[in-house]
Amino acid sequence: MPAVVRGGRRAGSAPAPKRGAGPKGQGRRAAPRNVGGVPGKMAALGRLDLTPRAVVLSICAGVGVLVLVLATGSRADRIAQSFNQGVDGVTTGMGLRLNRVHITGASDEATPAIQRALDVEAGQPITSLDLDALKADVERVGWVKQARVVRLLPDTLIVEVTEHDRLAVWQTGGRTYVIDGQGRAIPGADPGRYPNLPLVVGKGADGAAGALLPLLAQRPRLMGRVDALVRVDERRWDLRLKDGGIIQLPAIDQEAALIQLDALDQRERLLELGFERIDLRTEGQVAVRPGASA
């Protein structure tokens, strides 16, 4: 019978290596962690937020990314159009449709042009209106200086308009224009509709009228007799009166010249007597050429 040794191994078999044996001086290694448990990566996953709400949000985000990837070229346009149509259908179903447009601050002459610029239709979804674009369209109308567009739910659009002021009618090169306080011609304004506006004539009269007309407005006795303001050499004015007389103003300090004319008229009632010409071009002097009737 073969010899045996303690432990049940055959005699002569190689001895089993000792546990923990290694190179000299290395010492005993620590036992690996998580032995018999969840591996390290899986344990990290276990710490993620996998609540139902987080799962739903993740799925929605994934669907959104997929839509963005697929939505190229005309397909993106079709998706956007379908979405907009769906939103419009909901809003119109709720009664949010455009039924009324109120325009305030606009003259009768300017209102038709403003209505054409708005280009809106009754029954369209009011929430889909681009208010900034509508404002820009209205302000492109020549009459309009400034506009404000407000959406009043459920069905009203309010357009508040500030028009350019009408300063005078400007005649130059055989044509006439209505100009504002800055001397700009107002597109679409018919000069024939403004017979009471002062008439300014000549090159450069449009830009210079804003300085002289307020001075004349302070003197209604004189202003009521003026037929036209004529710009001379783009540097000074002649006031042509309705009775044919002419008042020649200086190139500078026009207000001082008008004050001097006021004083003379108060003493002599000059504007009532009639004259052919009054020359105020020289500072401190008044030269009067009487008319035939005087």
Side-chain angles (χ1 to χ4, degrees):
M1 188 176 220
V4 297
V5 294
R6 187 179 300 173
R9 292 184 179 274
R10 290 179 178 270
S13 298
K18 296 181 179 180
R19 289 182 69 179
K24 186 178 181 180
Q26 198 168 24
R28 184 182 299 271
R29 290 183 298 176
R33 306 178 69 177
N34 295 321
V35 175
V38 181
K41 292 184 179 180
M42 294 301 293
L45 286 175
R47 292 192 297 270
L48 294 178
D49 183 6
L50 295 180
T51 61
R53 180 175 178 273
V55 173
V56 171
L57 291 177
S58 301
I59 293 175
C60 292
V63 172
V65 172
L66 180 61
V67 170
L68 291 176
V69 172
L70 294 178
T72 58
S74 60
R75 184 177 298 171
D77 296 337
R78 290 196 298 270
I79 292 173
Q81 183 178 5
S82 299
F83 178 78
N84 291 334
Q85 289 174 350
V87 172
D88 291 346
V90 171
T91 56
T92 54
M94 296 171 61
L96 303 178
R97 304 177 184 179
L98 179 63
N99 288 326
R100 289 181 290 273
V101 177
H102 291 311
I103 300 175
T104 62
S107 63
D108 293 340
E109 190 176 7
T111 298
I114 295 172
Q115 290 173 335
R116 290 192 296 270
L118 285 171
D119 192 25
V120 293
E121 298 179 356
Q124 71 181 98
I126 192 171
T127 56
S128 66
L129 296 176
D130 188 337
L131 301 187
D132 290 335
L134 291 175
K135 177 179 181 292
D137 291 340
V138 172
E139 290 182 342
R140 277 193 284 270
V141 176
W143 292 97
V144 179
K145 181 178 181 180
Q146 187 176 5
R148 179 170 175 260
V149 181
V150 179
R151 179 169 37 217
L152 184 61
L153 298 178
D155 61 357
T156 304
L157 189 70
I158 298 176
V159 182
E160 299 176 357
V161 170
T162 301
E163 295 188 9
H164 291 282
D165 57 317
R166 280 74 153 170
L167 177 69
V169 173
W170 173 40
Q171 178 179 315
T172 182
R175 304 184 64 180
T176 55
Y177 309 88
V178 179
I179 60 174
D180 64 12
Q182 286 70 47
R184 294 186 294 247
I186 302 175
D190 180 9
R193 296 176 63 109
Y194 301 96
N196 295 326
L197 287 180
L199 175 65
V200 297
V201 181
K203 185 178 180 181
D206 52 337
L212 179 61
L213 285 173
L215 299 178
L216 294 178
Q218 298 171 13
R219 298 165 171 84
R221 178 176 165 80
L222 172 59
M223 189 62 184
R225 289 172 165 79
V226 173
D227 184 51
L229 292 74
V230 181
R231 192 68 172 164
V232 179
D233 298 330
E234 296 188 60
R235 56 186 300 271
R236 67 172 195 86
W237 294 97
D238 279 352
L239 306 182
R240 297 186 179 272
L241 306 186
K242 296 175 181 178
D243 61 4
I246 297 177
I247 299 175
Q248 295 176 300
L249 296 179
I252 59 175
D253 207 357
Q254 300 162 355
E255 186 173 13
L258 291 172
I259 291 174
Q260 192 173 17
L261 178 62
D262 286 341
L264 181 61
D265 181 51
Q266 289 176 8
R267 291 196 314 266
E268 307 293 340
R269 311 299 292 178
L270 185 61
L271 296 177
E272 295 178 4
L273 293 175
F275 52 86
E276 181 179 331
R277 186 181 303 268
I278 296 179
D279 189 349
L280 300 172
R281 291 176 293 177
T282 302
E283 183 179 359
Q285 298 181 14
V286 180
V288 179
R289 182 183 296 176
S293 60

